[in-house]
Amino acid sequence: MNQSEWPLWEVFIRSKQGLDHKHVGSLHAADATMAIQNARDVYTRRLEGISIWVVESQHVHASNPDDAEAFYDPANDKVYRHPTFYQVPDSIKHM
Amino acid sequence: METVEINLEEQFQARIDADIRIEPKDWMPDAYRKTLIRQISQHAHSELVGMLPEGNWITRAPSLKRKSILLSKVQDEAGHGLYLYSAAETLGASRDQMLADLHSGKAKYSSIFNYPTLSWADMGTVGWLVDGAAILNQVPLCRTSYGPYARAMVRVCKEESFHQRQGFEIMQTLCEGAPEQKAMAQEALNRWWWPTLMMFGPKDADSPNTEQSMKWRIKRFTNDELRQKFVDMMVPQAEFLGLTVPDPALKWNETKQGYDFGEVNWEEFWNVVKGNGMCNKDRLGARVKAHEEGAWVREAALAHAKKRAAKAETQAA
């Protein structure tokens, strides 16, 4: 990679008090302060956010999509983890 | 090894056929990756170069309101360029390389921006017509098969609608004004109508990549389909404004429930694409100048960030 290219940052935005931060995209910036300022200009021009997180992309570790099948397999056969697995008699209320 | 590759390709196509989005780390054919990088970066370049014909009018806007609106629009375009460059970067393209390709003339951008903006009415026409055409191209791309591209397009489309409406409002104001103002609007439409029709690209018969792109769902309508849609959409709007579309062959066709229209000057189209349009040299020159004159700012910001990081490290030690 070119030495003069600013590092890449991932941007997360909380759109409204009470909601979680959500990934919205990425941008280049020399440091965290600039990344937050740029994120404001690029991703919140129409009041889309009230809080911004930025993380340098190189610090994000991701699961491998090629392993997805085996990786998520343990949850596949455990329907009993869902409330709908259980039959509740009609006369039982508040459950 | 070869059968594995074939299976991967088949699985890939099956996912696309099932409308399952492809994400950056998923396996994809090399040609899909290359085509997307070319398409997305061209689109990003168009946003960047697209700021130039309008920048010309920021200081000349007729009122503070119009100036604020135009500034906002140009700022949106810078943003759209950034969304799109980021999407291309998820495919492994580097920002520096993409910009270098734009500046060297290797990469293309929309030929429409190689036409000059001569009067204030051009700001109305560009918003109304050119952004109208862009929206037709872009809305289907919100459902394109590559996730980061589709998400970028959703954001672009939300903002583009303001661009078109402010353009229409400029046209409406001119058309309801003095005869000189209306003549200005008509003159701008006369100059922009045909170049706008060229924005949809060559005729389907001359667009060899369309079939593969449709199969991959990185294109969802053909060039001719979109061009027809555009004409059908715009003629009634021009009529509302009291403007005449500069095409003597334009005629409603009852059987196809659409307009018949004249042939685009394809010689002019290819000429502009090849770099010989009225403003190709100016636009690229302005781009390169801005990039070169900004180099010291980018370097200084990086040096400053490194110095601060080093300082923080010694303090922590």
Side-chain angles (χ1 to χ4, degrees), chain B residues 35-88:
Chain B
T35 309
L36 265 181
I37 289 177
R38 200 192 59 211
Q39 182 174 329
I40 299 172
S41 62
Q42 268 183 20
H43 189 169
H45 298 331
S46 303
E47 297 284 354
L48 225 59
V49 177
M51 291 191 278
L52 298 170
E54 292 175 323
N56 181 36
W57 283 95
I58 290 175
T59 52
R60 298 172 173 86
S63 69
L64 184 59
K65 177 188 139 191
R66 294 291 183 204
K67 192 196 289 270
S68 308
I69 292 173
L70 189 56
L71 262 173
S72 265
K73 181 177 191 288
V74 170
Q75 196 187 11
D76 274 355
E77 276 144 12
H80 296 176
L82 289 172
Y83 304 153
L84 289 158
Y85 282 126
S86 296

Side-chain angles (χ1 to χ4, degrees), chain A residues 47-89:
Chain A
L47 303 173
E48 290 97 336
I50 53 146
S51 165
I52 298 173
W53 288 352
V54 293
V55 182
E56 223 184 304
S57 308
Q58 60 167 346
H59 297 311
V60 176
H61 300 268
S63 61
N64 185 349
D66 295 339
D67 300 338
E69 212 172 314
F71 196 67
Y72 300 107
D73 180 64
N76 247 346
D77 55 357
K78 296 179 179 63
V79 279
Y80 47 82
R81 285 177 172 169
H82 299 275
T84 45
F85 178 74
Y86 303 92
Q87 293 231 335
V88 178

Side-chain angles (χ1 to χ4, degrees), chain B:
Chain B
M1 200 55 214
E2 203 167 285
T3 48
V4 174
E5 188 79 357
I6 288 169
N7 273 333
L8 283 172
E9 285 233 35
E10 275 172 6
Q11 283 170 16
F12 175 82
Q13 191 58 50
R15 290 183 72 184
I16 287 187
D17 293 342
D19 255 332
I20 296 171
R21 294 276 163 84
I22 309 300
E23 292 297 338
K25 289 192 153 194
D26 294 341
W27 185 90
M28 61 186 84
D30 276 347
Y32 176 83
R33 185 186 300 275
K34 270 189 205 147
T35 309
L36 265 181
I37 289 177
R38 200 192 59 211
Q39 182 174 329
I40 299 172
S41 62
Q42 268 183 20
H43 189 169
H45 298 331
S46 303
E47 297 284 354
L48 225 59
V49 177
M51 291 191 278
L52 298 170
E54 292 175 323
N56 181 36
W57 283 95
I58 290 175
T59 52
R60 298 172 173 86
S63 69
L64 184 59
K65 177 188 139 191
R66 294 291 183 204
K67 192 196 289 270
S68 308
I69 292 173
L70 189 56
L71 262 173
S72 265
K73 181 177 191 288
V74 170
Q75 196 187 11
D76 274 355
E77 276 144 12
H80 296 176
L82 289 172
Y83 304 153
L84 289 158
Y85 282 126
S86 296
E89 284 175 276
T90 64
L91 290 159
S94 98
R95 178 81 60 99
D96 277 359
Q97 189 58 51
M98 287 187 275
L99 286 176
D101 288 347
L102 169 65
H103 297 155
S104 73
K106 188 183 161 205
K108 301 284 175 223
Y109 55 87
S110 179
S111 54
I112 193 78
F113 301 118
N114 291 316
Y115 289 84
T117 42
L118 302 178
S119 81
W120 172 251
D122 288 29
M123 290 303 96
T125 320
V126 166
W128 170 50
L129 275 191
V130 174
D131 291 321
I135 290 173
L136 268 188
N137 260 323
Q138 291 167 355
V139 167
L141 293 176
C142 295
R143 296 181 293 119
T144 195
S145 62
Y146 187 58
Y149 188 24
R151 292 191 286 274
M153 290 318 299
V154 168
R155 215 167 286 129
V156 168
C157 287
K158 268 189 201 160
E159 300 178 352
E160 204 73 50
S161 169
F162 137 63
H163 297 182
Q164 195 192 14
R165 287 184 183 202
Q166 67 84 38
F168 186 79
E169 195 196 69
I170 292 175
M171 292 309 269
Q172 201 182 347
T173 307
L174 289 173
C175 290
E176 287 168 1
E180 290 86 350
Q181 286 175 301
K182 186 159 185 188
M184 210 161 103
Q186 180 65 55
E187 192 271 337
L189 175 61
N190 292 349
R191 276 183 292 112
W192 287 95
W193 176 256
W194 291 104
T196 307
L197 290 191
M198 296 177 197
M199 283 175 70
F200 298 98
K203 282 198 285 196
D204 291 351
D206 301 320
S207 178
N209 301 324
T210 293
E211 200 189 331
Q212 181 61 68
S213 291
M214 302 267 288
K215 209 177 147 207
W216 279 335
R217 302 203 180 166
I218 55 181
K219 193 169 179 172
R220 313 222 41 163
F221 295 98
T222 73
N223 298 351
D224 287 338
E225 280 168 355
L226 288 173
R227 203 171 355 253
Q228 179 70 52
K229 248 187 179 174
F230 178 77
V231 173
D232 293 344
M233 192 173 94
M234 283 303 169
V235 172
Q237 294 183 13
E239 278 168 3
F240 175 91
L241 292 170
L243 296 175
T244 310
V245 172
D247 179 359
L250 188 79
K251 200 173 155 236
W252 177 253
N253 181 328
E254 191 60 32
T255 13
K256 79 169 181 187
Q257 286 295 302
Y259 286 91
D260 290 331
F261 53 97
E263 188 73 20
V264 169
N265 182 346
W266 294 112
E267 201 188 326
E268 178 183 324
F269 170 76
W270 290 114
N271 211 17
V272 180
V273 169
K274 282 176 192 147
N276 305 318
M278 273 184 269
C279 300
N280 293 57
K281 286 193 180 70
D282 273 8
R283 300 294 185 233
L284 219 48
R287 244 330 293 162
V288 172
K289 183 169 175 271
H291 188 72
E292 283 173 357
E293 289 180 353
W296 72 270
V297 179
R298 292 190 296 276
E299 283 160 24
L302 202 58
H304 178 68
K306 274 184 186 156
K307 206 166 132 186
R308 282 183 56 145
K311 211 172 175 184
E313 220 163 273
T314 25
Q315 272 170 359

Side-chain angles (χ1 to χ4, degrees), chain A residues 5-6 24 26 28 45-46, chain B residues 76 86 89 96 155 159:
Chain A
E5 197 168 275
W6 289 343
V24 293
S26 50
H28 289 272
R45 285 196 304 283
R46 289 176 178 79
Chain B
D76 274 355
S86 296
E89 284 175 276
D96 277 359
R155 215 167 286 129
E159 300 178 352

